[in-house]
PDB file of all heavy atoms in Angstrom:
ATOM      1  N   HIS V  51      36.651  17.682 -38.760  1.00 47.00           N
ATOM      2  CA  HIS V  51      36.386  16.314 -39.227  1.00 47.00           C
ATOM      3  C   HIS V  51      36.457  16.244 -40.746  1.00 47.00           C
ATOM      4  O   HIS V  51      37.077  15.322 -41.296  1.00 47.00           O
ATOM      5  CB  HIS V  51      35.010  15.873 -38.736  1.00 47.00           C
ATOM      6  CG  HIS V  51      34.622  14.502 -39.198  1.00 47.00           C
ATOM      7  ND1 HIS V  51      35.175  13.355 -38.659  1.00 47.00           N
ATOM      8  CD2 HIS V  51      33.747  14.094 -40.166  1.00 47.00           C
ATOM      9  CE1 HIS V  51      34.657  12.299 -39.272  1.00 47.00           C
ATOM     10  NE2 HIS V  51      33.788  12.730 -40.183  1.00 47.00           N
ATOM     11  N   ARG V  56      39.413  15.009 -45.847  1.00 49.00           N
ATOM     12  CA  ARG V  56      39.978  15.441 -47.128  1.00 49.00           C
ATOM     13  C   ARG V  56      41.476  15.216 -47.155  1.00 49.00           C
ATOM     14  O   ARG V  56      42.040  14.811 -48.171  1.00 49.00           O
ATOM     15  CB  ARG V  56      39.662  16.921 -47.376  1.00 49.00           C
ATOM     16  CG  ARG V  56      38.232  17.190 -47.776  1.00 49.00           C
ATOM     17  CD  ARG V  56      38.106  18.579 -48.372  1.00 49.00           C
ATOM     18  NE  ARG V  56      38.471  19.607 -47.417  1.00 49.00           N
ATOM     19  CZ  ARG V  56      37.624  20.226 -46.617  1.00 49.00           C
ATOM     20  NH1 ARG V  56      36.346  19.913 -46.663  1.00 49.00           N
ATOM     21  NH2 ARG V  56      38.028  21.154 -45.787  1.00 49.00           N
ATOM     22  N   ARG V  93      38.078   4.635 -84.105  1.00 92.00           N
ATOM     23  CA  ARG V  93      37.084   3.701 -83.558  1.00 92.00           C
ATOM     24  C   ARG V  93      37.760   2.604 -82.737  1.00 92.00           C
ATOM     25  O   ARG V  93      37.301   2.259 -81.634  1.00 92.00           O
ATOM     26  CB  ARG V  93      36.266   3.083 -84.679  1.00 92.00           C
ATOM     27  CG  ARG V  93      35.340   4.071 -85.397  1.00 92.00           C
ATOM     28  CD  ARG V  93      34.561   3.385 -86.499  1.00 92.00           C
ATOM     29  NE  ARG V  93      33.726   2.308 -85.967  1.00 92.00           N
ATOM     30  CZ  ARG V  93      33.074   1.436 -86.728  1.00 92.00           C
ATOM     31  NH1 ARG V  93      33.175   1.506 -88.059  1.00 92.00           N
ATOM     32  NH2 ARG V  93      32.327   0.493 -86.183  1.00 92.00           N
ATOM     33  N   SER V 134      53.491  -4.355 -40.598  1.00 57.00           N
ATOM     34  CA  SER V 134      52.135  -4.824 -40.838  1.00 57.00           C
ATOM     35  C   SER V 134      52.105  -5.796 -42.011  1.00 57.00           C
ATOM     36  O   SER V 134      53.006  -5.836 -42.843  1.00 57.00           O
ATOM     37  CB  SER V 134      51.209  -3.634 -41.125  1.00 57.00           C
ATOM     38  OG  SER V 134      51.590  -3.002 -42.334  1.00 57.00           O
ATOM     39  N   GLU V 162      61.769 -10.600 -77.427  1.00 69.00           N
ATOM     40  CA  GLU V 162      60.914 -10.183 -78.530  1.00 69.00           C
ATOM     41  C   GLU V 162      59.544  -9.796 -77.978  1.00 69.00           C
ATOM     42  O   GLU V 162      59.099 -10.347 -76.970  1.00 69.00           O
ATOM     43  CB  GLU V 162      60.744 -11.313 -79.554  1.00 69.00           C
ATOM     44  CG  GLU V 162      62.009 -11.671 -80.302  1.00 69.00           C
ATOM     45  CD  GLU V 162      61.761 -12.745 -81.342  1.00 69.00           C
ATOM     46  OE1 GLU V 162      60.600 -13.208 -81.433  1.00 69.00           O
ATOM     47  OE2 GLU V 162      62.704 -13.117 -82.040  1.00 69.00           O
ATOM     48  N   LEU V 203      43.438   1.006 -50.370  1.00 86.00           N
ATOM     49  CA  LEU V 203      42.051   1.336 -50.045  1.00 86.00           C
ATOM     50  C   LEU V 203      41.619   0.672 -48.744  1.00 86.00           C
ATOM     51  O   LEU V 203      40.921   1.272 -47.918  1.00 86.00           O
ATOM     52  CB  LEU V 203      41.131   0.904 -51.187  1.00 86.00           C
ATOM     53  CG  LEU V 203      41.304   1.626 -52.523  1.00 86.00           C
ATOM     54  CD1 LEU V 203      40.406   1.012 -53.584  1.00 86.00           C
ATOM     55  CD2 LEU V 203      41.016   3.108 -52.381  1.00 86.00           C
ATOM     56  N   ALA V 208      38.910   3.138 -47.312  1.00 83.00           N
ATOM     57  CA  ALA V 208      38.342   3.932 -48.405  1.00 83.00           C
ATOM     58  C   ALA V 208      37.516   3.045 -49.321  1.00 83.00           C
ATOM     59  O   ALA V 208      37.749   1.840 -49.411  1.00 83.00           O
ATOM     60  CB  ALA V 208      39.457   4.613 -49.199  1.00 83.00           C
ATOM     61  N   ILE V 256      61.771  -1.606 -71.592  1.00 76.00           N
ATOM     62  CA  ILE V 256      60.513  -1.051 -71.091  1.00 76.00           C
ATOM     63  C   ILE V 256      60.041  -1.827 -69.864  1.00 76.00           C
ATOM     64  O   ILE V 256      59.567  -1.234 -68.884  1.00 76.00           O
ATOM     65  CB  ILE V 256      59.449  -1.074 -72.203  1.00 76.00           C
ATOM     66  CG1 ILE V 256      59.871  -0.147 -73.348  1.00 76.00           C
ATOM     67  CG2 ILE V 256      58.091  -0.663 -71.658  1.00 76.00           C
ATOM     68  CD1 ILE V 256      58.984  -0.251 -74.568  1.00 76.00           C
ATOM     69  N   VAL V 263      60.239   1.573 -61.766  1.00 76.00           N
ATOM     70  CA  VAL V 263      59.314   2.626 -61.329  1.00 76.00           C
ATOM     71  C   VAL V 263      58.389   2.104 -60.234  1.00 76.00           C
ATOM     72  O   VAL V 263      58.137   2.783 -59.224  1.00 76.00           O
ATOM     73  CB  VAL V 263      58.493   3.134 -62.530  1.00 76.00           C
ATOM     74  CG1 VAL V 263      57.375   4.053 -62.060  1.00 76.00           C
ATOM     75  CG2 VAL V 263      59.398   3.873 -63.517  1.00 76.00           C
TER      76      VAL V 263
END
Side-chain angles (χ1 to χ4, degrees):
H51 178 74
R56 285 196 298 267
R93 292 180 60 189
S134 65
E162 293 183 358
L203 295 175
I256 295 172
V263 171

